[in-house]
Amino acid sequence: MPTTPAQRSENELIAVARHGDEGAYRALVERHRGELHAHAYRMLGSVHDAEDAMQDALLRAWRGLPRFDARSSLRSWLYRIVTNACLDLIGKRPKRVLPIDHGPSSDAHDGPGPPLLEQIWIEPYPDEQLGLMDGRSAPEARYEARESVELAFVAALQHLPARQRAVLILREVLGYSANEVADTLETSTPAVNSALQRARKTIGETLPERSQQETLRTLGDDRVREMVEGYMDAWERGDVGAVTAMLAEDATITMPPMATWFQGEGVEVFLTEWAFSGRAYDAEGRRNVRVLRAHANGQPAIGTYSWDDERGAHLPTVLQVLTFDGDRITEITGFVDPSVFGRFGLPPQL
């Protein structure tokens, strides 16, 4: 019985794909697509940009497959192509940031303001798309897969020059040796080591002391679940006091694509005067908001839905990603983009 592409060995698929078999090539790529896509996201901070880089890279790989000499693994060869596609894209598009990195906090009494039309914001990433490496990264990799897509880490990466960014990810996330990274970037091993040293310094000055994965592990699954469910309940009820009681004193709330963000007392003002104001209630005084739990960037998240009279249903409004410090929420990153809900397994309406 002939085997299917999924049942063939990698060497068999490469041999067949070199002769123009697109099915064999697709089967090869699918084995690595998830982790390659996550790599492109770390490099670019955007799901849309990652998809563009992947499309470009996989076309390059298809065209270059007849010249693949197997001196390295196919996986390493694909990482090289994706990395260089990302470097090309970085030079053509604006740097991705979060509102906190874009400007100072605003007066919450003025409200969230209009969205920026320019696509400069970091986008949320679905955990299900991570493409975990199944232990294939080398022991010297410092960041685990979920830790390496946390919002703080992805935002910190965007502060690095493009080649430093690539070096840090290839060395510290994927565990490639300095020689392998030098080969990927067509540079010298000393240049890679120098770039890594500078990148580590910048990242060390930018990241919080503890990653979200460390914080969540310390809290434990039951405590995290209890906190998130309490937050969801308070948000559905529009209970400002209950939400603010869960926040750290200097907690922030951001709402990309709006550039405005609020901190400390400004968060309570925003909740009172805007998020939980009369606009979220019907004529009979009932709050018309529903929430569902989700996961994004290795962190707890919730999708919020508001009632729409014309559709007769609750429609998506904001995907909130929660960042914790101990048992307090320090950041609420609200992505005001209903189009992202589908990526996180959230329904188009309730």
Side-chain angles (χ1 to χ4, degrees):
M1 294 290 290
T3 58
T4 65
Q7 294 172 319
R8 292 177 178 174
S9 71
E10 187 169 275
N11 288 336
E12 289 175 324
L13 289 172
I14 291 172
V16 176
R18 276 175 164 166
H19 289 86
D21 189 317
E22 294 185 16
Y25 178 67
R26 283 195 296 270
L28 278 172
V29 167
E30 285 306 314
R31 297 179 179 186
H32 306 284
R33 183 185 293 274
E35 58 175 301
L36 291 169
H37 191 276
H39 174 57
Y41 171 75
R42 295 181 194 103
M43 287 286 295
L44 301 165
S46 160
V47 175
H48 287 101
D49 289 352
E51 290 167 353
D52 287 347
M54 284 288 291
Q55 185 175 3
D56 179 28
L58 295 181
L59 181 58
R60 296 184 193 184
W62 170 245
R63 291 172 173 168
L65 191 60
R67 298 187 300 277
F68 174 62
D69 56 13
R71 287 187 301 166
S72 63
S73 68
L74 178 76
R75 176 175 178 260
S76 295
W77 183 69
L78 290 173
Y79 264 108
R80 175 177 183 165
I81 295 173
V82 172
T83 299
N84 284 289
C86 289
L87 290 172
D88 290 344
L89 199 58
I90 288 171
K92 300 174 184 176
R93 299 191 180 177
K95 181 176 74 172
R96 297 279 180 163
V97 296
L98 290 171
I100 290 176
D101 298 317
H102 186 262
S105 62
S106 306
D107 185 339
H109 295 289
D110 297 332
L116 287 188
L117 298 180
E118 188 179 11
Q119 298 298 315
I120 64 169
W121 305 118
I122 289 172
E123 296 173 351
Y125 197 79
D127 286 7
E128 291 76 9
Q129 203 166 346
L130 269 178
L132 299 177
M133 276 82 77
D134 300 322
R136 283 178 286 175
S137 55
E140 59 266 28
R142 291 192 177 189
Y143 301 98
E144 62 166 278
R146 287 187 175 84
E147 194 173 45
S148 66
V149 294
E150 290 176 2
L151 283 177
F153 185 73
V154 173
L157 287 172
Q158 309 314 304
H159 289 286
L160 298 175
R163 292 179 74 82
Q164 284 187 32
R165 196 183 312 173
V167 167
L168 185 86
I169 295 171
L170 291 169
R171 291 283 282 120
E172 307 275 67
V173 176
L174 298 171
Y176 284 110
S177 69
N179 290 338
E180 289 171 319
V181 176
D183 184 56
T184 294
L185 300 179
E186 298 181 345
T187 187
S188 68
T189 299
V192 166
N193 290 331
S194 175
L196 180 60
Q197 186 176 11
R198 295 194 300 273
R200 280 175 172 171
K201 184 176 186 297
T202 301
I203 290 289
E205 294 170 348
T206 307
L207 285 180
E209 290 185 8
R210 303 182 72 191
S211 71
Q212 281 301 286
Q213 301 313 304
E214 292 175 306
T215 298
L216 296 173
R217 283 194 296 267
T218 300
L219 288 169
D221 291 344
D222 292 342
R223 179 58 177 146
V224 171
R225 186 182 307 108
E226 177 187 356
M227 293 171 64
V228 174
E229 288 176 354
Y231 180 85
M232 293 169 63
D233 176 67
W235 197 276
E236 276 201 348
R237 292 186 290 105
D239 190 332
V240 174
V243 171
T244 55
M246 302 181 69
L247 304 180
E249 185 176 353
D250 60 348
T252 60
I253 186 167
T254 64
M255 297 152 287
M258 276 71 82
T260 49
W261 60 279
F262 312 118
Q263 186 171 31
E265 294 180 359
V267 177
E268 183 174 358
V269 171
F270 170 73
L271 295 176
T272 302
E273 298 186 6
W274 296 89
F276 294 167
S277 71
R279 289 182 288 271
Y281 294 79
D282 62 20
E284 299 178 4
R286 296 173 300 187
R287 180 162 164 80
N288 270 336
V289 173
R290 298 291 180 268
V291 300
L292 292 178
R293 186 167 182 181
H295 294 86
N297 295 83
Q299 301 174 222
I302 67 169
T304 64
Y305 293 74
S306 293
W307 180 257
D308 184 275
D309 284 328
E310 291 185 7
R311 296 280 295 275
H314 288 86
L315 301 183
T317 52
V318 183
L319 179 80
Q320 299 184 39
V321 182
L322 306 179
T323 299
F324 290 88
D325 182 7
D327 62 354
R328 288 289 182 269
I329 297 170
T330 58
E331 296 178 30
I332 304 168
T333 308
F335 295 95
V336 189
D337 182 3
S339 69
V340 306
F341 275 51
R343 295 181 200 151
F344 298 87
L346 294 168
Q349 66 179 44
L350 299 178

